[in-house]
Amino acid sequence: MATVEERYQHLERTIRGYNISADFKKIREAFEYAEAHHGSQMRRDGTPYITHPLNVAQIVAEMRLDSESIQAALLHDCIEDTDSTYEDIAKRFGTTVADIVEGVTKLTRVHCTTMEEEQMENLRKMLFAMSRDIRVVLIKIADRLHNMRTMEYQTPEKQRKKAFETMEIYAPIAHRLGMQKVKWELEDLSLKYLDPVGYDEIIAALDAKSHEYTQFMDRIQGEIVNRLNELEISNTVYGRVKHPYSIYRKMYGQDKTFDQVYDLFAFRVLVNTVADCYNVLGAIHDLYKPVLGRFKDYIAMPKPNMYQSLHTTVIGDEGIPFEVQIRTFEMHAVAEYGVAAHWKYKQGIESDDKESSYEWIRKLLENQEDADAEDFIHSLKVDMFDDEVFVFTPRGDVTNLPAGATPIDFAYSIHSAIGNSMTGAKVNGRMVGFDYVLHNGDIVEILTSKSAKGPSRDWMNIAKSSEARSKIRQWFKKERRDENIANGRAAFESELKHAGIPMSAVVVPEILEKVLKPTSFNALDEMYAAIGYGGYTAQKAVHRFQVEIAAMQKAEKAAKAEAEKAARAAEKAQKPEPKRTRSEKGIIVEGLSNCLVKFAKCCTPVPGDEIIGFITRGYGVSVHRKDCPNASLEHQMEEPGRWITVSWGEDTNLSYSTALEVVCKDRNNLLVDISTAISVCKVGVANMNVRTTSDGFAIFYVTINVADKAQLDAVLTKLHNITDVIKVTRTAS
Ligand code: MN
């Protein structure tokens, strides 16, 4: 086994191979610094820890990155695993190297814990967003590659977890950056741990046929080289069997056995010029029969990740199909090492100008029209234009918020009850103010209390997301009724004065009824409240009164003329008493007998609730709670004729189904505690669902059957007294 010094010498030789003017003094210093700081730490395979950073630096050198990247690769675990600090590294190696090391350290703390595709996409985006310098991502990929290569010494659980993460996060990133070789290796290594049986099966099949395959490939390679030499095209040709994961995907994706996989072989022809590429294509199609529809010209139309090549599939003498990829040496370097190689070609070797290192990304963005690349473009744009910020929940899930978002936005993005009961917030374990601006990669934890006073007015100015602001507005609408009424009344009265209408003209019962019909006695307050929270304007309200007052004055004149006639008619007619008829389900509908009744699903009223009826088009009267948003003043004003007074009958000895929402801090046994609390009240549960949020909260949706409001209130109290229950509300949406 090579000694540490031998490994270092190998690294230096690799760097000399592409960058003779690299800063070898600094690189040596970084190596010695890392070796000293990792000290006697060992890897699981029994080698000194320093072999890991050395190998990562080796991979980074094979990507042909600059001196600073090599130094950062050597130092990449120092902040995380030793007593070294950012400041110390900055002092010795400069802030660029220290920034890269710190960036890699942050990414090391990113783990994916979920299987959802959306989460994965967010995580990939976040990796980019966190890496203000693309070299951070490249070193992180090299780090992951070496860890995957040495994964056999880890526990099976860790193997699976890392393999999953690699397959979901790092291989796609390598692909997007155009690093085919790295991507393949990451995929194969992941597959080995994710499906060991499937992987072994393919390796065994490849081994069994390796002799046969080698003969076939040597023969084809010879034929191609001979023909190209005849044509005097200088070339490098080699063949390979496709990598195990790509065979695996074909087998499982198309439900085939190993022997049925169509194209196992690929040949690469590397030439000097683009013109030669097309000449080679002609020669290949002359030698072998091309398969229809398999020719792709990625030279004229490069892939979004800058990959360029000609692809064709042809069939040899034995009827064995194989793929041929034709490209220039430069295109090949980009295909192997992706943006890293491209970056080097375009940047020269010692560029440390951060701004211009973004230049190629901008170019890349402009050139991408492929819809498939949209996400990638977006992920880079996040970095470029800062319109989003990605933060972690304490469980390690990623949430995205608009840039400039605060803990308030984060809390309301989980649930309005979490925002409303928020008392404080921790970011990366430290208490912060509500106006703290979240950064990419922050771990955000929300502290809540049942006795929280609720949001304050200035939260509206602090919150960045419209979601949070609208939820805060909602809270004020509900919780600050008195304040809203006072504000609304003031606005209304001032507008009224402006219109020259005295208050005495408004509080005429007939007018009130016409304007507010068919609301209850405190209807005017409800209107004030609506004006107070901004759901209705004082101008609109005054206008309605104006119209009705004018109409009444007109009607009064007409009524006088008709008065006598009307009086006589009234004597004759036997005006029937408004009927109070018992209707079904314990509901009395004023003026209607035997009409169908149902309870609105949105608010599920129970006896004791103040209620109001709505004449539906198809099914009699639908009964809402008066405080249901669907029975709000606005709705009543829209269709005044269809709202009707209803009340509870005497004999409501039925059971009523009603829905509750219980917001809790998630923990074990919550379900048991909630069920127990309900059953102690002798109440039946009709239905219960739970949704857990990524921030460790659980929201239960419970439907129970109760006799009346008293019983329901008892249940609400019991539920609210359970530890970790933050809020219990009756559903009304
Ligand atoms: Mn590492």
Side-chain angles (χ1 to χ4, degrees), residues 197-215:
V197 177
Y199 177 80
D200 288 346
E201 197 186 313
I202 290 170
I203 296 295
L206 289 174
D207 276 354
K209 301 209 166 178
S210 106
H211 182 65
E212 194 184 314
Y213 289 171
T214 310
Q215 275 189 325

Side-chain angles (χ1 to χ4, degrees), residues 23-298:
D23 190 345
F24 290 103
K25 190 166 158 278
K26 274 283 171 215
I27 291 171
R28 175 93 211 175
E29 214 178 304
F31 160 61
E32 282 168 2
Y33 181 93
E35 190 180 27
H37 276 79
H38 287 295
S40 57
Q41 290 173 359
M42 296 291 240
R43 299 208 90 211
R44 280 188 175 244
D45 60 5
T47 57
Y49 194 90
I50 187 68
T51 56
H52 167 64
L54 261 176
N55 275 293
V56 173
Q58 182 66 36
I59 295 167
V60 168
E62 282 159 18
M63 293 178 187
R64 305 180 154 224
L65 296 192
D66 59 9
S67 291
E68 282 165 338
S69 304
I70 306 281
Q71 292 169 53
L74 288 165
L75 299 168
H76 82 270
D77 275 333
C78 280
I79 293 181
E80 182 75 1
D81 292 338
T82 79
D83 59 3
S84 160
T85 60
Y86 171 88
E87 288 74 21
D88 196 32
I89 292 176
K91 204 176 77 198
R92 287 162 197 266
F93 302 99
T95 51
T96 306
V97 172
D99 284 343
I100 298 175
V101 173
E102 193 184 49
V104 177
T105 305
K106 273 191 189 156
L107 295 198
T108 303
R109 297 180 188 138
V110 175
H111 296 293
C112 72
T113 51
T114 121
M115 308 278 279
E116 288 161 49
E117 189 46 38
E118 195 187 335
Q119 273 289 316
M120 297 301 166
E121 190 48 41
N122 266 342
L123 206 51
R124 286 176 216 132
K125 281 188 198 172
M126 185 174 71
L127 288 178
F128 278 105
M130 282 174 72
S131 317
R132 312 230 114 243
D133 186 326
I134 194 74
R135 289 175 288 188
V136 170
V137 176
L138 299 173
I139 293 172
K140 185 64 211 168
I141 288 173
D143 178 40
R144 177 51 60 107
L145 180 57
H146 184 245
N147 283 333
M148 287 303 293
R149 283 177 184 169
T150 52
M151 193 56 77
E152 57 194 301
Y153 303 101
Q154 298 290 349
T155 60
E157 195 199 333
K158 192 161 181 191
Q159 287 173 344
R160 283 193 60 82
K161 197 175 154 261
K162 291 279 167 194
F164 174 72
E165 225 171 67
T166 303
M167 194 67 106
E168 292 293 334
I169 305 294
Y170 292 98
I173 288 177
H175 174 69
R176 285 176 180 186
L177 295 175
M179 309 159 84
Q180 289 317 308
K181 203 175 148 191
V182 172
K183 176 204 165 199
W184 288 341
E185 193 178 348
L186 288 173
E187 284 176 345
D188 289 346
L189 289 166
S190 300
L191 179 64
K192 186 170 154 188
Y193 297 107
L194 289 175
D195 184 356
V197 177
Y199 177 80
D200 288 346
E201 197 186 313
I202 290 170
I203 296 295
L206 289 174
D207 276 354
K209 301 209 166 178
S210 106
H211 182 65
E212 194 184 314
Y213 289 171
T214 310
Q215 275 189 325
F216 171 75
M217 287 192 293
D218 286 350
R219 193 168 56 71
I220 299 289
Q221 184 175 336
E223 286 171 9
I224 295 174
V225 170
N226 285 341
R227 176 62 62 94
L228 297 185
N229 289 346
E230 279 167 35
L231 296 169
E232 295 179 352
I233 298 172
S234 77
N235 62 80
T236 300
V237 178
Y238 50 92
R240 62 181 175 92
V241 179
K242 291 211 169 152
H243 73 121
Y245 182 65
S246 114
I247 298 172
Y248 182 87
R249 270 221 322 256
K250 287 189 174 118
M251 284 170 66
Y252 290 87
Q254 302 161 18
D255 201 21
K256 286 177 174 167
T257 66
F258 182 85
D259 293 319
Q260 289 169 327
V261 174
Y262 181 65
D263 43 356
L264 276 180
F265 307 97
F267 291 85
R268 248 183 225 139
V269 183
L270 306 183
V271 293
N272 286 322
T273 66
V274 172
D276 279 350
C277 291
Y278 291 97
N279 290 332
V280 171
L281 181 72
I284 300 283
H285 282 180
D286 189 38
L287 267 174
Y288 311 102
K289 187 174 175 284
V291 176
L292 220 64
R294 292 294 299 262
F295 170 66
K296 300 258 164 52
D297 185 348
Y298 296 119

Side-chain angles (χ1 to χ4, degrees), residues 547-649:
V547 169
E548 290 303 336
I549 289 167
M552 193 179 75
Q553 285 165 350
K554 197 176 163 192
E556 265 171 3
K557 277 185 195 163
K560 244 181 199 172
E562 296 279 327
E564 266 179 41
K565 197 175 161 190
R568 256 179 267 123
E571 266 169 43
K572 268 190 199 167
Q574 187 79 3
K575 207 185 177 188
E577 287 271 297
K579 263 190 196 165
R580 300 191 125 234
T581 314
R582 242 222 68 184
S583 191
E584 62 175 82
K585 296 179 184 167
I587 290 289
I588 296 165
V589 179
E590 201 128 285
L592 289 174
S593 55
N594 298 325
C595 82
L596 288 169
V597 165
K598 68 168 180 178
F599 294 99
K601 286 226 171 58
C602 49
C603 55
T604 55
V606 302
D609 283 331
E610 284 197 72
I611 48 175
I612 188 163
F614 178 77
I615 303 166
T616 67
R617 292 193 203 281
Y619 189 100
V621 171
S622 159
V623 179
H624 289 263
R625 284 181 1 225
K626 267 195 181 156
D627 58 359
C628 174
N630 291 329
S632 69
L633 193 66
E634 292 101 306
H635 281 93
Q636 293 191 21
M637 281 177 167
E638 272 164 28
E639 294 182 286
R642 296 173 69 185
W643 292 93
I644 186 165
T645 306
V646 296
S647 55
W648 296 99

